[in-house]
Amino acid sequence: MKHFQLPFEKQEGFSYAHADIEALSEYDKYLLSFHPERPRYLDYLTLFEKQEECLRSDRFGSCTIQVHRAELTLNGTTHRVMLIGQQSSPTSDFARLQEIMKNPEEIARWNHGMPTPAAFQKAIEAIALAEAEKRTIITIIDTAGADPTEASEAGGIAWKIGRCMQSLAEASVPTLSVIINRGCSGGAIALSGCDGILAMEYATYMVISPEACSSILFHTRQKAALAAELSRITAHEGLELGIIDDLIPESEGPAHRFPDGALRSFRSGVLRWLEKLSALSLDEVFSSRMERWKRIGRWEYMAEEEIKTFEKPVRNLPDAPEKNRFVPRHKGCRDSEGRAIVDPVLFSTLRRDNFRCDTCLHRYLRLTAHDYIALVLDEGSFREHPQTRHIIDSDILAFPNYPEKLREARQRSGTATAFITGDGRIEGQDVVFCASNFSFLGGSFSMSTGEKLRIAACIALERQCPLVIHATGGGARMHEGCSSMTSIPKIHVALSAVERAGLPLVTIISDPTLGGVAIGAGSRGEHIIEHNAGNIGFSGKRVIEQYTGLPTSKGFQTADWLREKGYASRIARPSEMKREISAIISRQPSNSKQ
């Protein structure tokens, strides 16, 4: 078969006119965005002069991100660039692709176009190389997402993605991102946190695939079309939401049918933005970046009177029983041989093990934001920031039942959002402290979290004191679509400003810290991982087991497993956190201002 056709392309009377494309369902537009014949990175590479491949590697999955030095010239002005391109398949020539994919080794090598830790490491090195050579960085986005396997978790994929975003946040040269096809999840956000984000007209940009979104929110993959419609994933909608800066028109029609026109349009759009970015002096790059990301996201404000209707301290950390030293074991406990265990548990043992069953690893409870405030800060020292207190989540997509879920979460957690920021003291040392609340929609990362953390970082800078963040949560909030995900680079820029000022940045990682939370604040500063914590990484255990069809290893994504893999140098019980943090911030004194 020479060409591939999507179902709607086979319908009688369908043309590739703009009106016909606009009339497609959101899900069909999603399918169009990764049509196998749409031009890939290597096709767009032909537009550049003096191409030179860099950092070539044979490590597994590294071909999914390719790096080239290149130049682009217009009217005598030459722009020296470093291209970091996601290549989601070996070719856009469908006939050739079919031949290549007959080879099992090639299928494995391309890994469905999903970048692995080796690929992200190549990107990190390319950013450093671009800085050394003073080249503008252009990232080309085309991915179904980051590799969801245990091998990639063992390779530190969460920290690699986080490091990509940190490197772009701190780059001393201008950065530009172009979404050419499908930009999905962590694979996309790793390299799209740039000074400008462009998208081909028929590209898509999303926090999660419609199928996965449907599975999580509606407990079936059969509502993927509804999930696509609700999530507003097209490039046009991204522009309306303010998460894409400019569209590159596919004026002649979709790029898989009119590739030459798409390539010409790409060149014009990229050159226009290179001219704009080249006007910045190197001294202006970071301050301009701070201003750009400050504008990302939407949130609302709640009056003090309404906050007081649900606000209360909610604590999960229990006191020791006064009489009986034992507590009932949880139901369903079984040992490694499948035998039911029913005997009660000594409370002191349970507390020592951080309320995790030592037989089956069941977690009895998770600490709240109020628990962490009480454990880490000097008694009575916490004062919530008035600048963040009234910020609440915004239902920008009119997502079904989201307002009701928010109201229920406020009543249950006693907080207005999943994130609290304030001033406090640790062993008498002034700090800015931020706490996540798992009991508020699983601590999922939202636009309001991004804005609150940005403001907290600014307060730490103003007061010249350490910033301490408690991270927990299951990822970016799907109810807010891609806008929640694009707030992750926003916090990287803010946290980089704190570290550039020489201020201590400490992150407490508790159970769970996955997805957008792990690649955001969870990847920054000096880490302290909670003793016996689990579910720490990028893709969760259930996602990986569903994708691979294989069980994960014993102890997967626990604190001890992370230490074994080299990603946990400091582990502490909740009761030890205060002492550990005090030791870190005392090594790096700050000049706190009252």
Side-chain angles (χ1 to χ4, degrees), residues 235-372:
H236 279 282
E237 289 161 325
L239 183 67
E240 292 172 7
L241 293 168
I243 59 176
I244 289 171
D245 295 306
D246 206 355
L247 291 185
I248 298 176
E250 298 180 39
S251 303
E252 297 176 19
H256 74 285
R257 286 297 299 267
F258 304 93
D260 291 343
L263 265 65
R264 286 193 298 271
S265 193
F266 175 97
R267 186 177 191 276
S268 296
V270 167
L271 274 168
R272 186 170 64 253
W273 272 80
L274 286 175
E275 290 292 323
K276 180 178 178 179
L277 293 173
S278 66
L280 292 171
S281 70
L282 293 184
D283 292 336
E284 295 172 317
V285 166
F286 189 76
S287 59
S288 173
R289 189 172 295 149
M290 288 276 286
E291 285 301 311
R292 189 252 182 221
W293 285 98
K294 179 181 178 180
R295 298 190 296 271
I296 292 297
R298 300 182 189 177
W299 46 89
E300 297 174 10
Y301 294 90
M302 180 176 282
E304 183 68 23
E305 294 75 18
E306 189 172 355
I307 291 176
K308 287 180 178 177
T309 63
F310 57 78
E311 186 177 42
K312 58 184 180 293
V314 175
R315 301 280 300 276
N316 283 349
L317 189 61
D319 295 323
E322 294 182 3
K323 296 181 180 179
N324 193 345
R325 295 184 301 159
F326 291 86
V327 295
R329 183 177 290 269
H330 67 96
K331 294 180 180 179
C333 182
R334 293 185 177 275
D335 64 17
S336 59
E337 297 179 1
R339 292 175 299 201
I341 307 298
V342 298
D343 55 307
V345 185
L346 190 64
F347 180 82
S348 60
T349 299
L350 198 58
R351 182 167 55 189
R352 181 200 66 201
D353 292 338
N354 194 18
F355 299 95
R356 189 190 75 173
C357 177
D358 61 357
T359 301
C360 69
L361 307 186
H362 168 79
R363 181 156 293 283
Y364 280 77
L365 58 86
R366 288 183 169 91
L367 303 184
T368 69
H370 297 109
D371 283 320
Y372 263 98

Side-chain angles (χ1 to χ4, degrees), residues 487-500:
S487 292
I488 302 172
K490 170 179 179 168
I491 68 167
H492 273 283
V493 173
L495 297 179
S496 291
V498 171
E499 291 190 316
R500 281 162 62 101

Side-chain angles (χ1 to χ4, degrees), residues 96-110:
R96 183 167 166 247
L97 180 65
Q98 291 175 94
E99 289 301 313
I100 292 172
M101 290 297 104
K102 289 177 182 177
N103 183 340
E105 291 183 1
E106 283 297 300
I107 293 174
R109 187 168 84 89
W110 283 95

Side-chain angles (χ1 to χ4, degrees), residues 50-91:
K50 295 186 179 180
Q51 311 147 10
E52 179 189 352
E53 186 174 7
C54 311
L55 306 173
R56 185 178 179 85
S57 168
D58 292 327
R59 294 181 64 193
F60 175 66
S62 63
C63 59
T64 59
I65 293 180
Q66 302 194 25
V67 177
H68 293 82
R69 294 184 182 92
E71 294 180 359
L72 200 57
T73 302
L74 179 66
N75 297 330
T77 300
T78 296
H79 300 276
R80 300 170 69 249
V81 300
M82 182 67 72
L83 298 168
I84 305 173
Q86 294 178 332
Q87 181 75 9
S88 60
S89 73
T91 179

Side-chain angles (χ1 to χ4, degrees), residues 519-539:
I519 65 177
S523 68
R524 297 301 301 265
E526 294 207 41
H527 295 162
I528 306 176
I529 297 180
E530 193 178 88
H531 172 68
N532 271 348
N535 305 296
I536 299 170
F538 182 63
S539 299

